[in-house]
């Protein structure tokens, strides 16, 4: 850290912490010595994660105002925060627009966009008061290029990316750095399974033949690096893909 960075710059709130990249990020930050409040809806999984890592667990739905307000109070009572990491999100469905389902789109917009908004808005006063705050939003390469069957997820991630870019402009004068980590193909426990409503065969096809897709731990390493840098260094945007994915439209499958 630079000499101008407070030594307390190791207090993070991580959403989406019950699985995948969120869980891996909690584990990474705790291994690096951070104080972490792990946030997700599933209290049982959070309790196990807290027991294994020493993180503080708080069960909350980031799309619910009452839950977010309660979380803000909890964090204030447990030492405050310097860093907010918005990981909660996901995709539902792979329908083309002609077959788009309102419920899928509503869910994606709520959790990816409104959840990020509600969390960020709620914690900005504390981050400003700290003087060296960080917000890191996990988006997706779906925010960079649209694809067939992805319009709902594209729309949500494009919007989350827009929120991130506007936030960076608005909060620079408050010395808040805003980081966007943009993963490509990541093989996690639940992402594809949730997208295809629990269809194991459809979920498996997403990764079929792909040599070494990214793991949640890989992305967590990038997140940990980005937020662990001296505060005056801002990684505005980090796109991370497996070598087999040269671009959204070019994915090498073998066999």
């Amino acid at each position: 850290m630079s000499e101008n960075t407070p030594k307390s710059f190791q207090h993070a709130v991580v959403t989406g912490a019950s699985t995948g990249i969120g869980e891996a990020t909690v584990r990474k930050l705790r291994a690096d010595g951070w104080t972490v409040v792990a946030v997700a809806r599933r209290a049982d999984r959070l309790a196990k994660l807290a027991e294994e890592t020493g993180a503080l667990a708080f069960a909350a739905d980031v799309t619910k105002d009452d839950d977010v307000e309660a979380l803000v109070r909890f964090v204030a009572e447990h030492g405050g925060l310097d860093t907010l990491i918005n990981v909660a999100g996901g995709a539902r469905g792979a329908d083309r627009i002609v077959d788009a389902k309102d419920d899928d789109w509503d869910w994606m917009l709520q959790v990816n966009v409104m959840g990020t908004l509600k969390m960020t808005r709620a914690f900005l006063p504390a981050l400003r008061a700290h003087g060296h705050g960080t917000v890191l939003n996990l988006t997706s390469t779906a925010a960079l290029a649209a694809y067939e069957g992805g319009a709902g997820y594209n729309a949500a991630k494009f919007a989350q990316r827009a929120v991130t870019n506007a936030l960076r402009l608005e909060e620079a004068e408050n010395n808040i750095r805003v980081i966007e980590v943009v993963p490509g193909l990541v093989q996690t426990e639940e992402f594809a399974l949730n997208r295809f409503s629990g269809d194991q065969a459809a979920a498996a096809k997403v990764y079929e033949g792909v040599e070494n897709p990214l793991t949640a731990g890989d992305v967590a390493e990038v997140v940990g690096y980005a937020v662990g840098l001296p505060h005056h260094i801002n990684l505005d945007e980090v796109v991370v893909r497996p070598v087999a994915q040269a671009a959204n439209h070019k994915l090498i499958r073998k066999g």
Side-chain angles (χ1 to χ4, degrees):
M1 294 185 183
S2 73
E3 61 183 14
N4 295 321
T5 302
K7 292 185 183 300
S8 62
F9 193 80
Q10 287 188 332
H11 292 251
V13 172
V14 180
T15 70
S18 63
T19 190
I21 296 169
E23 178 187 343
T25 297
V26 172
R27 294 184 184 278
K28 167 62 178 171
L29 294 183
R30 286 295 298 143
D32 289 347
W34 288 63
T35 298
V36 181
V37 178
V39 181
R41 291 172 299 163
R42 292 178 286 185
D44 56 338
R45 294 184 71 124
L46 285 181
K48 182 180 178 183
L49 179 63
E51 182 180 352
E52 293 174 354
T53 65
L56 299 170
F58 192 91
D61 183 336
V62 298
T63 71
K64 305 297 184 187
D65 290 331
D66 290 347
D67 283 13
V68 173
E69 290 170 8
L71 172 61
V72 170
R73 293 193 295 270
F74 178 85
V75 171
E77 292 166 0
H78 290 81
L81 84 163
D82 321 285
T83 301
L84 171 62
I85 302 177
N86 289 307
V87 179
R92 280 195 180 172
D95 297 317
R96 293 182 178 234
I97 291 170
V98 68
D99 297 315
K101 297 178 179 63
D102 287 359
D103 287 348
D104 287 345
W105 279 60
D106 286 343
W107 184 87
M108 286 186 281
L109 291 168
Q110 282 296 316
V111 71
N112 291 286
V113 184
M114 296 307 297
T116 296
L117 169 64
K118 289 174 185 290
M119 286 290 295
T120 304
R121 182 176 60 198
F123 280 107
L124 274 177
L127 293 169
R128 287 174 172 179
H130 181 267
H132 292 78
T134 296
V135 177
L136 185 148
N137 290 339
L138 190 92
T139 62
S140 165
T141 54
L144 305 180
Y147 58 92
E148 294 148 304
Y153 190 50
N154 290 141
K157 287 301 185 181
F158 268 75
Q160 189 186 23
R161 178 173 169 81
V163 170
T164 306
N165 289 339
L167 182 69
R168 186 179 300 115
L169 295 172
E170 293 172 358
E171 295 300 325
E173 65 188 61
N174 296 312
N175 201 32
I176 293 177
R177 63 178 177 179
V178 178
I179 301 165
E180 181 183 6
V181 173
V182 189
L185 185 70
V186 185
Q187 187 168 14
T188 62
E189 176 187 6
E190 295 184 338
F191 179 85
L193 198 61
N194 288 339
R195 183 167 202 172
F196 294 104
S197 303
D199 185 333
Q200 293 275 4
K205 284 185 178 179
V206 173
Y207 312 104
E208 192 172 61
V210 179
E211 200 169 75
N212 296 321
L214 295 180
T215 67
D218 294 333
V219 180
E221 287 290 332
V222 175
V223 172
Y225 177 78
V227 299
L229 287 170
H231 187 266
H232 69 282
I233 302 172
N234 193 87
L235 300 183
D236 284 14
E237 174 187 314
V238 184
V239 178
V240 52
R241 311 181 202 256
V243 173
Q245 188 181 33
N248 276 23
H249 64 278
K250 183 165 184 174
L251 180 62
I252 307 303
R253 298 182 188 270
K254 296 185 177 181

